[in-house]
Amino acid sequence: EAQVTQNPRYLITVTGKKLTVTCSQNMNHEYMSWYRQDPGLGLRQIYYSMNVEVTDKGDVPEGYKVSRKEKRNFPLILESPSPNQTSLYFCASSLSASGSYNEQFFGPGTRLTVL
Amino acid sequence: RKEVEQDPGPFNVPEGATVAFNCTYSNSASQSFFWYRQDCRKEPKLLMSVYSSGNEDGRFTAQLNRASQYISLLIRDSKLSDSATYLCVVDTGRRALTFGSGTRLQVQP
């Protein structure tokens, strides 16, 4: 089954404790991205990746890191989480970044709470 | 001004009603447009793309007005299962999609 998976689905942590949210897709998509969703603000892009070893900042990259060592995986790293990073996070992938083939396939989401 | 603006709603309509949402975008260079649907606490999923000439998919019709920079979604004969948040999405060609905050629809029996 074609899908995007994220782990963990739910996480409660404390300020400053490094964490990683994994994302994996099995559709051989080149483009992957991370979003956070907050009430009234909609989905905002954190980072994206056009292909292996190619990553770039989205609209709200502060406090986050990513890597793309393999095509299928795109982990999101919070080196020192803070309470303002409490949010619902979605990973997404698509065949391409723009045009007709950029339907975004989303993972199920990770609900992160930073105390 | 937000790049993509939507009325957050909620729109409360009875079953069988016709309901329409609008969405405005600020970047005149925007190239592609989409409507996504998001159920409560779930991931967004593509509902339909929006083409320049307008397009229809069953009970759903999408329109694009480039001159006024807005897109619309019309839902006919609303079903209970249509209750969700509808996200307007714009591709500005900057290698990223810009999402609106969403319009919540609640269809009531």
Side-chain angles (χ1 to χ4, degrees):
Chain A
E1 180 191 354
Q3 60 182 345
V4 179
T5 57
Q6 291 178 230
N7 282 291
R9 295 288 314 279
Y10 303 91
L11 179 60
I12 300 174
T13 189
V14 295
T15 299
K17 186 176 181 181
K18 181 180 179 180
L19 66 92
T20 299
V21 184
T22 64
C23 172
S24 183
Q25 50 92 7
N26 62 0
M27 295 169 278
N28 202 36
H29 285 169
E30 291 193 346
Y31 184 86
M32 297 185 75
S33 60
W34 276 102
Y35 296 88
R36 61 179 288 174
Q37 187 173 34
D38 303 288
L41 297 176
L43 280 154
R44 294 179 293 166
Q45 193 180 54
I46 302 170
Y47 268 94
Y48 65 92
S49 169
M50 301 288 284
N51 213 324
V52 175
E53 302 292 3
V54 181
T55 63
D56 208 347
K57 297 176 180 178
D59 296 319
V60 288
E62 294 77 21
Y64 305 95
K65 285 173 59 177
V66 293
S67 68
R68 187 95 181 270
K69 293 185 170 59
E70 307 163 283
K71 199 171 187 178
R72 63 184 294 130
N73 296 324
F74 190 45
L76 179 70
I77 303 153
L78 285 73
E79 294 271 3
S80 183
S82 61
N84 65 11
Q85 292 178 297
T86 293
S87 187
L88 177 58
Y89 291 86
F90 288 104
C91 179
S93 73
S94 61
L95 272 173
S96 72
S98 62
S100 303
Y101 301 103
N102 67 345
E103 175 185 353
Q104 301 282 295
F105 292 85
F106 286 85
T110 295
R111 188 165 291 279
L112 173 66
T113 301
V114 183
L115 302 174
Chain B
R1 182 186 173 189
K2 290 183 181 177
E3 286 194 66
V4 178
E5 294 209 56
Q6 296 182 250
D7 182 342
F11 284 60
N12 295 304
V13 303
E15 269 187 293
T18 295
V19 61
F21 311 133
N22 281 342
C23 160
T24 59
Y25 60 94
S26 61
N27 189 334
S28 59
S30 299
Q31 299 172 355
S32 306
F33 308 87
F34 310 89
W35 284 101
Y36 277 69
R37 171 191 167 128
Q38 185 175 24
D39 293 302
C40 188
R41 303 181 193 279
K42 298 279 188 71
E43 72 271 25
K45 292 183 180 178
L46 179 67
L47 178 66
M48 58 196 302
S49 301
V50 186
Y51 302 122
S52 297
S53 55
N55 49 298
E56 193 173 298
D57 183 1
R59 297 182 293 106
F60 299 83
T61 301
Q63 297 277 356
L64 168 62
N65 185 318
R66 284 192 185 271
S68 301
Q69 295 184 204
Y70 77 82
I71 68 173
S72 64
L73 177 68
L74 180 80
I75 305 175
R76 290 181 299 279
D77 188 23
S78 300
K79 312 288 185 194
L80 293 175
S81 57
D82 294 333
S83 297
T85 296
Y86 292 84
L87 306 174
C88 172
V89 185
V90 174
D91 179 0
T92 60
R94 291 186 291 114
R95 297 184 289 182
L97 297 179
T98 301
F99 286 76
S101 301
T103 297
R104 193 154 68 88
L105 171 66
Q106 185 65 48
V107 181
Q108 293 162 340

